[in-house]
């Protein structure tokens, strides 16, 4: 599974992607808003990172949506998914 390898790079990518997604979703997003932004948030990262981001989103979609709705910090969400060390 490519997502779990190279934690340092993926941790930065995860955090960066979630910061972007969080900014696009705004404060107190509903599930539909987060889902729509997940697609857009990955596209702005470029082709290679965007593809990794998309894999991440597909695999952890529910955790990402829940984390963003709870107002969790991107670093904490990535740690909860096991991508970053907490």
């Amino acid at each position: 599974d490519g997502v779990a390898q190279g934690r340092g790079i993926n941790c930065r990518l995860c955090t960066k992607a979630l910061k972007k997604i969080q900014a696009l979703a705004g404060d107190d997003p509903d599930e539909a808003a987060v889902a729509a932004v997940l697609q857009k948030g990955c596209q702005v990262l470029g082709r290679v990172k965007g593809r990794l981001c998309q894999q991440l989103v597909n695999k952890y979609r529910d955790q990402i949506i829940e984390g963003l709705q709870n107002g969790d910090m991107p670093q904490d969400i990535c740690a909860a998914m096991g991508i970053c060390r907490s």
Side-chain angles (χ1 to χ4, degrees):
D1 164 353
V3 175
Q5 296 166 354
R7 286 207 190 285
I9 293 167
N10 284 320
C11 179
R12 282 196 302 274
L13 176 65
C14 180
T15 307
K16 186 176 183 175
L18 285 182
K19 278 182 184 161
K20 181 68 89 179
I21 289 164
Q22 197 174 40
L24 290 169
D27 296 333
D28 198 25
D30 62 8
E31 192 169 333
V34 176
V37 169
L38 287 176
Q39 294 299 106
K40 209 174 286 169
C42 287
Q43 288 170 352
V44 299
L45 292 173
R47 209 172 73 217
V48 176
K49 287 182 180 171
R51 206 174 301 134
L52 274 172
C53 175
Q54 201 57 60
Q55 289 175 338
L56 207 78
V57 166
N58 293 342
K59 189 169 181 178
Y60 298 108
R61 181 183 192 93
D62 294 341
Q63 282 175 286
I64 293 170
I65 290 172
E66 190 178 317
L68 290 173
Q69 286 182 312
N70 289 341
D72 296 343
M73 297 308 295
Q75 178 78 26
D76 296 335
I77 298 169
C78 294
M81 295 185 304
I83 296 163
C84 295
R85 294 189 184 90
S86 46

